[in-house]
C-alpha cells in the first residue's frame, strides 16, 4: 500500500475529485479526514470508506475561514499526533468575464479557491516541519496554463494556485515538505454532470469533449490517481510541479 498509516486531510472530499481521492487514499492505507463545507456529504464519504474497511472521519469546514482551518488541523494533530498529507481541493467556479463579474462574486471565489489553499498551507506546514516532513497537493486546473472564455475569476484563481504552489515549494523544500498541484482538464464531476443534463447539455458536452485531444471528459478517479502519485513516495523527486491530466487539451 502506497499510503499505509499516513494521516491525510482532503478538502472538498465530499464530492467529485475529492470524493474519489478520499476513497483511493483510504484504499492505499491512509487515515482520511474528509473535510467539506457540506457536512452531510463528508459524513457519507467517510461512512462509505469505513464500510469497505478503510479508516476515515468527516469534518465540516469552510476553507475560506481561517479559524475553521486552524481548528481542523489542531484537532487532527490532537487525534493522530501528526499530519502527513494535505490535499487542498475545495473549490468552485462560475461563468463571467471581468466586466460581468461582481466584486462580491470575485471575492467569494478567491476566498475559497486561493485563500483556502493559503490557510491550509499556513497551518499544515508548521506541523509538517516539526515532524520532519510532509506532502501537500493542491487542485489547480488546465486553465492555469491556457485561457478559456467567460470564466475570468476562476481562471485567475487557478493560475494563482499553480503559482502559489511553486512559491511554497521552494520556501519549504529544506523542511522536506513537497508541494505540488494537479491541473485537471474538464472532469465529469457532479457539478458538470448537472449542467450537462440540462436543456443544451448534449451540445455543451460535445464542445467540452472536443476541446480535449482525447475527445472525452475525464473521470474524477483519473485525477485522484494523479493526486495519489503526488501524495505518495513515488513522486519523491517532485516539488513545485504542476501535473497536467487533461486528456491532451493543453498539448493541443
Ligand atoms: P470537483 O470535484 O470538480 O472539484 P465538486 O463541486 O464535485 O467539483 O466538488 C467540490 C467540493 O468542494 C464539494 O463537495 C463542495 O462542497 C466543496 N467545497 C466548495 N466550497 C467549499 C468551501 N468553502 N469549504 C469546503 N468545501 C468546499
Amino acid at each position: 500500500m502506497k499510503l499505509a498509516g499516513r494521516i491525510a486531510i482532503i478538502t472538498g472530499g465530499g464530492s467529485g475529485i475529492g470524493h474519489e481521492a478520499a476513497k483511493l487514499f483510504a484504499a492505499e492505507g491512509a487515515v482520511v479526514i474528509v473535510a467539506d463545507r457540506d457536512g452531510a456529504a463528508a459524513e457519507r464519504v467517510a461512512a462509505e470508506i469505513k464500510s469497505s474497511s478503510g479508516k476515515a472521519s468527516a469534518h465540516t469546514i469552510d476553507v475560506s475561514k481561517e479559524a475553521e482551518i486552524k481548528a481542523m488541523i489542531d484537532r487532527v494533530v490532537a487525534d493522530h499526533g501528526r499530519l502527513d498529507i494535505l490535499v487542498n481541493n475545495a473549490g468552485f467556479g462560475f461563468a463571467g468575464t471581468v466586466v460581468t463579474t461582481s466584486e462580491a462574486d470575485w471575492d467569494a471565489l478567491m476566498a475559497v479557491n486561493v485563500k483556502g489553499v493559503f490557510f491550509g498551507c499556513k497551518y499544515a506546514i508548521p506541523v509538517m516541519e516539526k515532524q520532519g516532513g510532509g506532502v501537500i497537493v493542491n487542485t489547480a486546473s488546465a486553465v492555469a496554463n491556457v485561457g478559456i472564455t467567460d470564466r475570468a475569476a476562476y481562471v485567475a484563481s487557478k493560475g494563482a494556485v499553480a503559482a502559489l504552489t511553486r512559491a511554497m515549494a521552494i520556501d519549504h523544500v529544506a523542511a522536506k515538505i513537497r508541494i505540488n498541484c494537479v491541473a485537471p482538464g474538464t472532469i465529469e464531476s457532479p457539478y458538470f454532470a448537472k449542467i450537462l443534463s440540462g436543456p443544451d447539455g448534449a451540445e455543451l458536452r460535445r464542445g467540452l469533449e472536443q476541446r480535449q485531444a482525447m475527445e472525452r471528459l475525464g473521470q474524477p478517479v483519473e485525477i485522484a490517481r494523479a493526486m495519489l502519485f503526488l501524495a505518495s513516495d513515488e513522486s519523491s523527486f517532485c516539488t513545485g510541479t504542476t501535473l497536467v491530466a487533461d486528456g491532451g487539451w493543453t498539448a493541443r
Side-chain angles (χ1 to χ4, degrees), residues 12 14-18 36-38 61-64 89-92 112 189-191:
S15 173
I17 293 168
D36 205 290
R37 184 161 60 182
D38 182 343
I61 188 176
D62 179 347
V63 298
S64 68
N89 168 73
F92 71 101
V112 176
S189 63
Y191 169 76

Side-chain angles (χ1 to χ4, degrees), residues 44-222:
R44 275 196 302 276
V45 173
E48 188 184 355
I49 290 170
K50 284 189 271 192
S51 74
S52 47
S53 309
K55 293 202 173 83
S57 61
H59 198 106
T60 307
I61 188 176
D62 179 347
V63 298
S64 68
K65 302 279 184 341
E66 183 171 12
E68 292 187 23
I69 291 258
K70 184 181 182 309
M72 174 177 71
I73 290 176
D74 285 350
R75 170 80 191 275
V76 168
V77 173
D79 287 352
H80 302 283
R82 56 190 296 115
L83 172 62
D84 300 298
I85 299 164
L86 171 64
V87 180
N88 287 304
N89 168 73
F92 71 101
F94 55 75
T97 67
V98 287
V99 177
T100 60
T101 298
S102 70
E103 183 183 7
D105 285 348
W106 173 277
D107 286 347
L109 184 140
M110 289 296 168
V112 176
N113 292 12
V114 185
K115 210 158 70 171
V117 176
F118 160 59
F119 286 150
C121 294
K122 185 177 178 62
Y123 291 100
I125 287 170
V127 172
M128 292 175 171
E129 191 162 17
K130 216 163 120 193
Q131 73 195 14
V135 183
I136 297 174
V137 180
N138 300 320
T139 300
S141 164
V143 304
N145 300 326
V146 290
I148 53 172
T149 56
D150 207 34
R151 295 254 155 189
Y154 181 76
V155 171
S157 75
K158 292 303 184 179
V161 170
L164 179 59
T165 297
R166 290 188 287 272
M168 295 188 298
I170 58 173
D171 278 340
H172 304 289
V173 67
K176 297 191 168 35
I177 301 167
R178 297 189 302 104
I179 308 176
N180 295 288
C181 62
V182 289
T186 305
I187 303 302
E188 200 165 4
S189 63
Y191 169 76
F192 264 110
K194 206 160 79 195
I195 296 175
L196 297 176
S197 64
D200 299 324
E203 199 184 325
L204 185 63
R205 172 184 280 274
R206 260 195 309 282
L208 293 172
E209 286 173 347
Q210 279 163 9
R211 189 164 67 182
Q212 315 198 111
M214 291 182 183
E215 297 195 354
R216 67 171 177 88
L217 300 182
Q219 292 302 313
V221 70
E222 295 181 288

Side-chain angles (χ1 to χ4, degrees), residues 20-45:
E20 291 302 326
K23 286 195 293 185
L24 187 59
F25 283 27
E28 289 292 341
V31 177
V32 178
I33 294 92
V34 184
D36 205 290
R37 184 161 60 182
D38 182 343
E43 293 286 358
R44 275 196 302 276
V45 173

